[in-house]
């Protein structure tokens, strides 16, 4: 398995809570996919869930050697936590960047507490490590 890049992010939950309260649906539509919004709203500790997903998106971008920038959308990166192990799906302009960097998969771990959420992502080459066959690249 070739490691292409590593990214990590820590976010303060209060900051995300304020953004959601101030900008409501506009913020949610800009940063999260509909699936992510449904998933986060369906869990206890909703703010912490939204914060962890945003941290995961940031970590995924960083694992590809960049931060979010013009031409890319936050929704190009979708985080699916429904089956316990977080999965990353990359689409659109970010999928093109991923191909350019030689990455085929992004492995992800996330955690949160009341005040902070964190995520770490590892972009690996096109060959999937055993047990991660469900991680996907769309685009």
């Amino acid at each position: 398995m070739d490691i292409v890049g590593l990214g990590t992010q820590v976010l303060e939950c209060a900051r995300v809570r304020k953004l959601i309260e101030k900008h409501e649906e506009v913020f949610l539509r800009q940063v999260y996919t509909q699936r992510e919004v449904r998933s986060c709203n369906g869990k206890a500790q909703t703010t912490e869930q939204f914060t962890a997903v945003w941290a995961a998106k940031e970590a995924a971008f960083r694992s590809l050697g960049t931060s979010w920038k013009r031409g890319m959308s936050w929704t190009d990166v979708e985080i699916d936590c429904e089956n316990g192990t977080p999965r990353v799906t990359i689409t659109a302009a970010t999928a093109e960047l991923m191909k350019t960097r030689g990455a085929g998969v992004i492995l992800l771990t996330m955690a949160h507490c009341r005040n902070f959420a964190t995520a770490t992502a590892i972009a690996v080459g096109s060959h999937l490590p055993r047990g991660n066959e469900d991680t996907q690249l769309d685009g």
Side-chain angles (χ1 to χ4, degrees):
M1 164 176 48
D2 294 331
I3 295 176
V4 175
L6 173 69
T8 192
Q9 179 66 22
V10 176
L11 291 174
E12 192 174 10
C13 296
R15 175 179 173 227
V16 174
R17 183 179 320 109
K18 287 176 187 175
L19 286 167
I20 292 171
E21 289 171 355
K22 183 176 180 179
H23 301 289
E24 298 175 350
E25 291 299 315
V26 173
F27 172 73
L28 294 177
R29 279 193 311 269
Q30 182 180 0
V31 176
Y32 304 95
T33 66
Q34 289 179 357
R35 178 195 275 183
E36 291 167 337
V37 170
R38 280 192 307 273
S39 176
C40 291
N41 279 331
K43 294 182 180 176
Q45 301 172 323
T46 302
T47 297
E48 292 85 346
Q49 295 292 328
F50 277 115
T51 307
V53 169
W54 193 6
K57 290 172 180 262
E58 288 267 14
F61 281 123
R62 289 177 180 200
S63 75
L64 297 173
T66 190
S67 58
W68 177 87
K69 60 185 175 185
R70 291 192 193 277
M72 296 165 45
S73 173
W74 288 107
T75 58
D76 288 359
V77 178
E78 184 175 60
I79 309 301
D80 178 0
C81 301
E82 292 305 311
N83 295 322
T85 301
R87 281 183 40 196
V88 181
T89 302
I90 307 292
T91 59
T94 306
E96 291 303 314
L97 173 64
M98 191 168 172
K99 287 178 189 175
T100 301
R101 303 286 172 148
V105 155
I106 296 178
L107 305 175
L108 178 67
T109 186
M110 304 161 54
H112 65 77
C113 64
R114 182 181 308 165
N115 296 317
F116 297 97
T118 186
T120 299
I122 301 173
V124 296
S126 298
H127 299 287
L128 293 173
R130 234 188 156 115
N132 289 300
E133 293 81 6
D134 62 344
T135 305
Q136 59 190 4
L137 167 63
D138 290 344

